[in-house]
Amino acid sequence: MIIQKSTNPRISNFDPENFSFGNMFIDHMIICEYENGKWGDVKLMPYGPLPFSPAMMGVNYGQACFEGMKAYKDKDGQVFIFRPEKNFARINKSANRLAMPEVTEEIFLGGLKALVDLDRDWIPYGEGNSLYIRPLIFATEEALKARIANKFMFAIVATPAKSYYSEPVAVKISDYYSRAANGGVGSAKAAGNYAASFYPTKLANEEGYEQIIWTDDSTHEYFEESGTMNVFVRINDTIYTPPTSEKILDGVTRDSFIQLAKRRGIDIQIEPISVKKVIEAHKNGTLKEVWGVGTAVVTTVFKAIGYQGERLDLPQLPLEESFALTLQKDLVDIQTNVAEDPFGWRVLVEKNILENA
Amino acid sequence: MIIQKSTNPRISNFDPENFSFGNMFIDHMIICEYENGKWGDVKLMPYGPLPFSPAMMGVNYGQACFEGMKAYKDKDGQVFIFRPEKNFARINKSANRLAMPEVTEEIFLGGLKALVDLDRDWIPYGEGNSLYIRPLIFATEEALKARIANKFMFAIVATPAKSYYSEPVAVKISDYYSRAANGGVGSAKAAGNYAASFYPTKLANEEGYEQIIWTDDSTHEYFEESGTMNVFVRINDTIYTPPTSEKILDGVTRDSFIQLAKRRGIDIQIEPISVKKVIEAHKNGTLKEVWGVGTAVVTTVFKAIGYQGERLDLPQLPLEESFALTLQKDLVDIQTNVAEDPFGWRVLVEKNILENA
Ligand SMILES: Cc1ncc(COP(=O)(O)O)c(C=O)c1O
Ligand SMILES: Cc1ncc(COP(=O)(O)O)c(C=O)c1O
């Protein structure tokens, strides 16, 4: 690893009590370049702009994929990354689908730990606070040909993140727009999937819904995901979530929720969820909860569902009665080292990794 | 317009007899930045890298779209751009679907003409040679939030292009992968659409096919496009091409071919093309020609079609008998000022635009 520490660190300007998520970056970043069929050295260097041409293929042809993961600090100042091996596996799955080179464990996990260790002071203490970490791979070759690029960059950037707590939101079941095609890239964290969702989401916002529940593009009869989260539905005391597929992202939070529900003995069924079933359950009063899960907010509870012009309100259950909130707490307690971790999900970030290497 | 001419032009190193397409850029580029809800000044400046962070949203979330167009030089050295108002309209259509700001005519067409005029010496003389021009809009804001960006860049870069002539290719009818979803972004020139096609195309290459004929993702029973081209099928003496839709790009070359076919009195039907109809026509000997059209190569004739493991060979017709080659010639003759232009498609690039402004 090539190390170039910042001579002008910005951490002294960072106020953990008062910052905005997503546009304040930690002092360093990881960079690794791919050329002539192989990855070069991993570089740990000051965060900042690099020279890129507007002809860069990552921008022109969207050959780019990313990950989103978090590091948490416990009350003793120990730092843990949550299930990083899942994100490592997934970025390579995404890279494959987009015809990009896979990264090695050394590049991804080695770079990740060194970066988080060096900039550990950027991780705010306190419940729900964390460091949001963004690994990405993108095509850097300058060429105006719609073909697989020859040059790529792997990078890791990160930003401090505040409490996972988010207000319940209203969501609209999509009956026109969709985020994934059969035989498409829905199960990859492909850059282009996100841009494609912005306009439909803006239209939903204008109708009073914060997010969209995406449905299959052929019939719009089955739930896929919600916003950038996997979706869960509780009818009576059974939880349902759609199986992952080439159209549905295999979320780390989703997988964790499933395991946590099983541990509690909650009945959880991994099967397609039809819109009809959800609407009927709402009508007959058995629809108890609907929620989304993902790294960024852990859980977003839905307070209302819009479907074909109707707005169906959902009960707001207190923690003791809510599966969504109970499982969220189970998860956050493991993530933040408040509870035991029988699953082995937490990965401790050793101190002074660079010095001891 | 802010003008900064290159102090170190590379044109003297440019050998119009010997260059490779797509990675040699003309001396200048156009840049215009969007911030605080409005576009700034158009800048004409030396082509080269700009400072961008790996956290830039255009790369992370694929909020990026582009155009592809050509300028041709006639034997007297006059330079013409082909139907630029179509690309201007289409980039704004793409921008809309991706929740990006539209550009004005002044930015797009004004920037385009000034750039092509200034670097007109980069346009090679000779049949089929041209300048390939790439306008694009992409999100430049540095933020790790999957939402519409607040900062964008419009840019125009360009590269000299060689003869449009391309060898006939074998294409595979897709029965699994697809490029567009219902309610998706297929009709936009969205960056992410291209990356999504690379892996399926690579698999097709490995089976001996140069390109894919994309079919609808729900049933794979209808033709959509071919590679990055619109597709035409000739059965007996009738030409068929699918209607444009939210899944099919409204190609400038496609539109030109339709008008040219009509002018020649050729029967042309704009209607869905079923795979079944094409296979049957091949069986009974009425399938005469299948070809793709687009700005880059104008026409690519297909010599074979792969479908579910079978390879169906197509006759190779000489120019006099081929609708594909006849219409291609009609088009190229107009583009290069060899023939009259009753449609008003050619737009002359005046000389010394900057001096006369
Ligand atoms: C489309 C989509 N679905 C689901 C998720 C949830 O995945 P994870 O739990 O791994 O964050 C994400 C990422 O956050 C996503 O982008
Ligand atoms: C997906 C796709 N289809 C069709 C075309 C053809 O469009 P045009 O004739 O405007 O170049 C293009 C662009 O070249 C394209 O990218």
Side-chain angles (χ1 to χ4, degrees):
Chain A
M1 196 176 300
I2 296 173
I3 299 173
Q4 184 198 339
K5 287 194 194 171
S6 172
T7 53
N8 186 19
R10 292 166 282 105
I11 179 105
S12 54
N13 304 330
F14 171 56
D15 177 1
E17 303 295 318
N18 184 22
F19 67 94
S20 84
F21 168 72
N23 48 20
M24 164 156 246
F25 296 91
I26 63 173
D27 277 316
H28 298 88
M29 64 181 179
I30 292 286
I31 291 295
C32 187
E33 290 184 80
Y34 181 95
E35 203 172 344
N36 300 322
K38 59 177 196 297
W39 290 104
D41 289 321
V42 177
K43 285 184 212 159
L44 202 170
M45 59 185 285
Y47 172 81
L50 300 169
F52 292 121
S53 155
M56 123 162 116
M57 293 175 76
V59 162
N60 283 264
Y61 304 120
Q63 210 182 5
C65 64
F66 67 96
E67 276 303 322
M69 49 203 305
K70 280 187 173 175
Y72 299 87
K73 191 175 266 178
D74 75 6
K75 59 177 184 356
D76 305 322
Q78 292 188 100
V79 171
F80 300 93
I81 311 180
F82 187 69
R83 305 187 76 181
E85 71 290 350
K86 295 283 275 182
N87 302 90
F88 169 57
R90 195 170 61 187
I91 202 169
N92 282 338
K93 186 180 158 190
S94 298
N96 263 309
R97 180 58 183 85
L98 296 169
M100 300 198 286
E102 293 189 8
V103 286
T104 63
E105 199 172 315
E106 189 195 336
I107 295 173
F108 187 96
L109 294 173
L112 179 70
K113 287 177 188 169
L115 177 67
V116 173
D117 173 36
L118 181 64
D119 277 344
R120 60 172 60 234
D121 291 344
W122 280 91
I123 310 176
Y125 280 90
E127 201 195 322
N129 291 340
S130 65
L131 183 71
Y132 179 82
I133 305 163
R134 166 63 51 85
L136 70 155
I137 309 176
F138 56 103
T140 52
E141 187 185 350
E142 292 172 47
L144 302 182
K145 297 182 205 178
R147 54 130 176 91
I148 300 170
N150 291 318
K151 292 184 193 167
F152 297 90
M153 180 175 282
F154 169 74
I156 309 179
V157 296
T159 171
K162 271 186 282 203
S163 170
Y164 54 86
Y165 180 75
S166 73
E167 290 286 340
V169 300
V171 294
K172 178 184 169 162
I173 297 179
S174 186
D175 51 15
Y176 179 73
Y177 290 104
S178 54
R179 72 174 283 284
N182 297 300
V185 296
S187 67
K189 257 180 110 73
N193 290 343
Y194 297 81
S197 75
F198 293 166
Y199 177 73
T201 303
K202 189 175 85 168
L203 295 182
N205 294 164
E206 287 164 10
E207 292 178 54
Y209 297 100
E210 275 93 347
Q211 286 174 19
I212 288 177
I213 293 189
W214 301 103
T215 48
D216 69 289
D217 81 307
S218 306
T219 68
H220 296 293
E221 283 172 15
Y222 290 92
F223 277 27
E224 288 183 344
E225 303 196 35
S226 169
T228 58
M229 299 184 292
N230 292 110
V231 65
F232 287 77
V233 172
R234 173 181 171 192
I235 297 175
N236 285 322
D237 284 344
T238 300
I239 298 177
Y240 299 88
T241 192
T244 56
S245 72
E246 59 168 5
K247 299 170 67 176
I248 296 181
L249 196 82
D250 186 358
V252 179
T253 319
R254 172 186 177 280
D255 180 75
S256 307
F257 262 67
I258 292 170
Q259 294 192 50
L260 290 166
K262 286 184 180 158
R263 185 176 67 161
R264 279 197 175 262
I266 297 172
D267 183 25
I268 180 156
Q269 301 296 330
I270 297 164
E271 60 179 51
I273 301 174
S274 72
V275 176
K276 206 170 144 217
K277 177 176 179 151
V278 173
I279 303 295
E280 274 175 13
H282 184 267
K283 285 221 177 88
N284 66 32
T286 56
L287 184 64
K288 296 283 168 59
E289 298 179 82
V290 186
W291 70 95
V293 309
T295 294
V297 289
V298 186
T299 298
T300 298
V301 169
F302 302 153
K303 65 179 179 196
I305 292 182
Y307 184 57
Q308 295 187 336
E310 257 195 285
R311 191 179 164 110
L312 315 174
D313 287 313
L314 286 165
Q316 292 305 292
L317 305 180
L319 174 60
E320 318 81 66
E321 289 171 36
S322 164
F323 285 175
L325 299 179
T326 299
L327 295 172
Q328 177 184 38
K329 186 171 181 333
D330 287 354
L331 180 55
V332 172
D333 283 352
I334 293 176
Q335 287 172 328
T336 56
N337 197 22
V338 167
E340 293 271 290
D341 175 19
F343 304 100
W345 285 342
R346 278 193 305 260
V347 173
L348 179 73
V349 178
E350 309 279 353
K351 281 192 183 165
N352 305 320
I353 292 179
L354 297 175
E355 286 73 5
N356 300 336
Chain B
M1 194 176 303
I2 296 173
I3 298 170
Q4 185 199 336
K5 288 194 194 173
S6 173
T7 53
N8 187 19
R10 292 167 281 104
I11 179 106
S12 54
N13 303 330
F14 171 58
D15 176 1
E17 302 296 316
N18 184 22
F19 67 94
S20 85
F21 168 71
N23 48 20
M24 164 156 246
F25 296 91
I26 64 173
D27 277 315
H28 298 87
M29 64 182 179
I30 291 285
I31 291 296
C32 186
E33 290 185 81
Y34 181 94
E35 203 171 342
N36 301 319
K38 60 178 196 296
W39 290 103
D41 289 323
V42 177
K43 284 183 212 158
L44 202 169
M45 59 185 285
Y47 172 81
L50 299 169
F52 291 121
S53 156
M56 120 163 119
M57 293 175 75
V59 162
N60 283 263
Y61 303 120
Q63 211 182 2
C65 64
F66 67 95
E67 274 304 323
M69 50 203 303
K70 281 187 172 175
Y72 299 88
K73 192 175 264 178
D74 74 6
K75 60 178 183 354
D76 305 323
Q78 292 188 100
V79 171
F80 300 93
I81 311 181
F82 187 68
R83 306 187 76 182
E85 70 290 350
K86 295 284 275 183
N87 302 89
F88 169 58
R90 194 169 63 187
I91 203 169
N92 282 338
K93 185 179 159 192
S94 299
N96 264 308
R97 181 58 184 83
L98 297 169
M100 301 199 285
E102 293 189 7
V103 286
T104 63
E105 198 171 316
E106 189 195 334
I107 296 173
F108 187 96
L109 294 173
L112 179 69
K113 287 176 190 170
L115 178 67
V116 173
D117 174 36
L118 182 64
D119 277 343
R120 59 171 62 232
D121 291 345
W122 280 91
I123 310 176
Y125 280 91
E127 202 195 321
N129 292 340
S130 65
L131 183 71
Y132 178 82
I133 306 163
R134 166 64 50 85
L136 69 155
I137 310 176
F138 56 104
T140 52
E141 187 186 350
E142 292 173 46
L144 302 182
K145 297 182 204 178
R147 55 133 176 89
I148 300 170
N150 292 318
K151 291 184 195 169
F152 297 90
M153 181 175 282
F154 169 73
I156 309 179
V157 296
T159 171
K162 272 187 281 206
S163 171
Y164 55 85
Y165 180 75
S166 74
E167 290 287 339
V169 301
V171 294
K172 178 184 169 162
I173 298 179
S174 188
D175 50 16
Y176 179 74
Y177 289 103
S178 54
R179 73 173 284 284
N182 297 301
V185 295
S187 67
K189 256 180 110 76
N193 289 343
Y194 297 82
S197 75
F198 293 167
Y199 178 74
T201 304
K202 189 174 85 169
L203 295 183
N205 292 163
E206 287 163 10
E207 292 179 54
Y209 297 100
E210 275 92 346
Q211 285 174 20
I212 288 177
I213 293 189
W214 301 103
T215 49
D216 69 290
D217 80 308
S218 305
T219 67
H220 296 294
E221 283 173 16
Y222 290 91
F223 277 27
E224 287 183 344
E225 303 197 34
S226 169
T228 57
M229 299 183 293
N230 291 110
V231 64
F232 287 77
V233 171
R234 171 181 171 193
I235 297 176
N236 286 323
D237 284 344
T238 300
I239 298 177
Y240 299 88
T241 193
T244 55
S245 72
E246 61 169 4
K247 299 171 66 176
I248 296 181
L249 196 82
D250 186 358
V252 179
T253 319
R254 172 187 177 279
D255 180 76
S256 307
F257 262 68
I258 291 170
Q259 294 193 50
L260 289 167
K262 286 184 181 160
R263 184 176 68 161
R264 279 195 177 262
I266 297 172
D267 183 25
I268 180 154
Q269 302 296 328
I270 297 165
E271 60 179 52
I273 300 175
S274 72
V275 176
K276 207 169 142 217
K277 177 176 178 149
V278 174
I279 303 297
E280 275 174 12
H282 183 267
K283 285 219 181 90
N284 66 31
T286 56
L287 183 65
K288 296 284 167 60
E289 297 179 84
V290 186
W291 70 94
V293 308
T295 294
V297 289
V298 185
T299 297
T300 300
V301 169
F302 302 153
K303 66 180 178 196
I305 292 182
Y307 184 58
Q308 296 187 334
E310 256 195 285
R311 191 180 165 110
L312 315 174
D313 288 313
L314 286 165
Q316 292 306 293
L317 305 180
L319 174 60
E320 318 80 67
E321 289 170 37
S322 164
F323 285 175
L325 299 179
T326 299
L327 295 172
Q328 177 184 36
K329 185 170 183 331
D330 286 353
L331 180 55
V332 172
D333 283 352
I334 292 176
Q335 287 172 329
T336 56
N337 197 22
V338 167
E340 293 270 290
D341 175 19
F343 304 100
W345 286 341
R346 278 193 306 259
V347 174
L348 179 73
V349 179
E350 308 279 352
K351 281 192 183 165
N352 304 319
I353 291 179
L354 297 175
E355 285 74 6
N356 300 336

